[in-house]
Each structure stands twice: as structure tokens, then as C-alpha cells.
Amino acid sequence: MIKLSKILNLEDFTLIVPSVAVGNVAQLTVDLLVASLNLQRIGQIITSAFIPIVGLDPYIETSEYLSTAVDIYAGVENKILVIQIRSPFIKSLNSFYHNLSQFITTNKISKVVILTSSYAYEKTDTELNVTELRYIASANILSDNKQVFDNLKWLQYESKHISYSNNKQITQIPGGGFAINLFDFLTNNNIPCIILFKFCSEGDNIPDALNLINYLNQWMNLIQINSIGSLAIKYPPSWKYLFGNVPSSEIY
């Protein structure tokens, strides 16, 4: 169930959804989007598909509001809607996909951007010396943006892992979570959709998130360029604890 605490006209908005994947790169990217654009929490998705959690607001230290497993944020100026997912899924996501698709259609949201990541060791030999960023786009996205993507020198993903179902080829993104399944569900319902992802390894994945948000921004121009020529990125205050507290001096 999608529950909004604020009613907005979401027509022609872009919905950005992170897939829980290797390195949590997509969720880190969403953190940067919410903090940098000062997006406002407007609701949550109540579902048994994800492990339920509750915690302090990760973006405003003085906030009295709590965060949940799946929260929704909006930026009216940029016409974007962002979902943040903070826990892994433990059940079938079919009802989540159906609710999301119905919400998109009902509110006349223009397109969906799915952010994810993939294991770096899955790159093919021909991919080793080129950018680690890739995209997969639906036909209705490509028809309007293929020339733009080519001008940006973006590369379409060529999967070496393809399975077959009912004589249909199914592309896979190793380590990419539910990204492909959501993409297929939305495109089968004629919803314009694109996956943007980065090859990465587990560890400190902040640089990967910075690369992915730059990748997204090349197309959508959401974040302004600062005086030194880079994106005006703001880290959320919760990132101070990304790797835990500072070790106690008493252990040395």
C-alpha cells in the first residue's frame, strides 16, 4: 500500500527507484539526491515484501519524523519522485510491482529510472577499458532519447548472462537485485523505464554513488554545477555513521 502524507499533482514527474544491490550503490545515490536537492518526505510504501525497520530521520538531525523501510520523497521544482529502500526484500515483490505500476499510471508519472549496480568481476574483456556505467532502456525511452545518450557517449548494456523463459530471452544484471524484474514488469505495462547502473565491488561505495549520480545528472540536470566545476553535492548527516563510530582509544 502506498500511503502519502501530502497530496501533490505528480503528472509528468519522474520516479527514481533504487534496487537493493551489490554495494548498496543505488541507495547511497538516493541519499545524495534527497540531501542535495532537499527533497521532502511525502509518504511511505507499506509492504510485507521488505524487512520492516524504523529509525531516525537520516537527512535532518533535528527532525521529529521517523524513517521506515520504504519512504517516498518529492521535489516539486525538479518534478521528481524518489523512493528510498532501506532493507532487503524477503518475499515475492509482485504486489509491490503491481502497487507501483498502478500508482504510476493513476498519477500520470512520465517515466521511471531504476538505479542499481553489478559485480565488477562480471565485466567482459571488451568492457574492461571503457566506462563502468551502463544503461538499459525501454523502446519508448530510446525513441525520445537515443541521440541524447549517444551524444553523452553512454553505453547500452550487453549482457553475457541470458536465460530463457517461454522462448523469450531474459537479460540479467548479476548482483543487480530486482532491477531487471521491475524493468520488465513496467515495460510490459507500457510504462517508459530505464535502468542506470555501475559495475562495482563491495567496500567503500561512496565513490560509486558519486559516479552514478553524475551519470544520472548528465541526462536529467537535477543538481547544479558549483564554482569548481563539480556537482553541488551534499552528504546527508547520517553518513557520519556509515562505517560505525570511531574506535575507542581504550582499545589501543
Side-chain angles (χ1 to χ4, degrees), residues 68-103:
T68 67
V70 189
D71 285 333
I72 305 172
Y73 299 84
V76 176
E77 182 179 346
N78 295 295
K79 300 193 80 168
I80 63 167
L81 200 64
V82 178
I83 292 176
Q84 179 60 298
I85 299 174
R86 298 188 174 94
S87 66
F89 62 90
I90 53 175
K91 291 184 178 181
S92 168
L93 291 171
N94 286 337
S95 61
F96 174 73
Y97 297 159
H98 279 283
N99 288 339
L100 204 56
S101 176
Q102 185 178 30
F103 177 78

Side-chain angles (χ1 to χ4, degrees), residues 45-163:
I45 299 179
I46 302 172
T47 172
S48 61
F50 295 90
I51 295 175
I53 63 167
V54 65
L56 299 176
D57 190 321
Y59 308 117
I60 305 174
E61 291 181 289
T62 57
S63 172
E64 297 180 355
Y65 294 98
L66 297 174
S67 61
T68 67
V70 189
D71 285 333
I72 305 172
Y73 299 84
V76 176
E77 182 179 346
N78 295 295
K79 300 193 80 168
I80 63 167
L81 200 64
V82 178
I83 292 176
Q84 179 60 298
I85 299 174
R86 298 188 174 94
S87 66
F89 62 90
I90 53 175
K91 291 184 178 181
S92 168
L93 291 171
N94 286 337
S95 61
F96 174 73
Y97 297 159
H98 279 283
N99 288 339
L100 204 56
S101 176
Q102 185 178 30
F103 177 78
I104 292 164
T105 304
T106 300
N107 288 279
K108 299 180 180 179
I109 291 170
S110 64
K111 61 182 178 294
V112 178
V113 178
I114 303 170
L115 303 177
T116 191
S117 49
S118 183
Y119 295 118
Y121 60 75
E122 294 290 350
K123 292 179 68 176
T124 62
D125 290 343
T126 57
E127 293 173 325
L128 290 176
N129 296 320
V130 293
T131 176
E132 296 183 335
L133 299 158
R134 295 290 185 278
Y135 77 92
I136 302 172
S138 61
N140 39 19
I141 288 282
L142 282 177
S143 63
D144 295 332
N145 296 279
K146 183 61 167 66
Q147 189 59 56
V148 175
F149 297 159
D150 289 345
N151 292 340
L152 292 170
K153 301 187 185 307
W154 282 16
L155 298 177
Q156 285 186 270
Y157 178 53
E158 297 180 4
S159 173
K160 66 176 182 179
H161 295 269
I162 299 178
S163 59

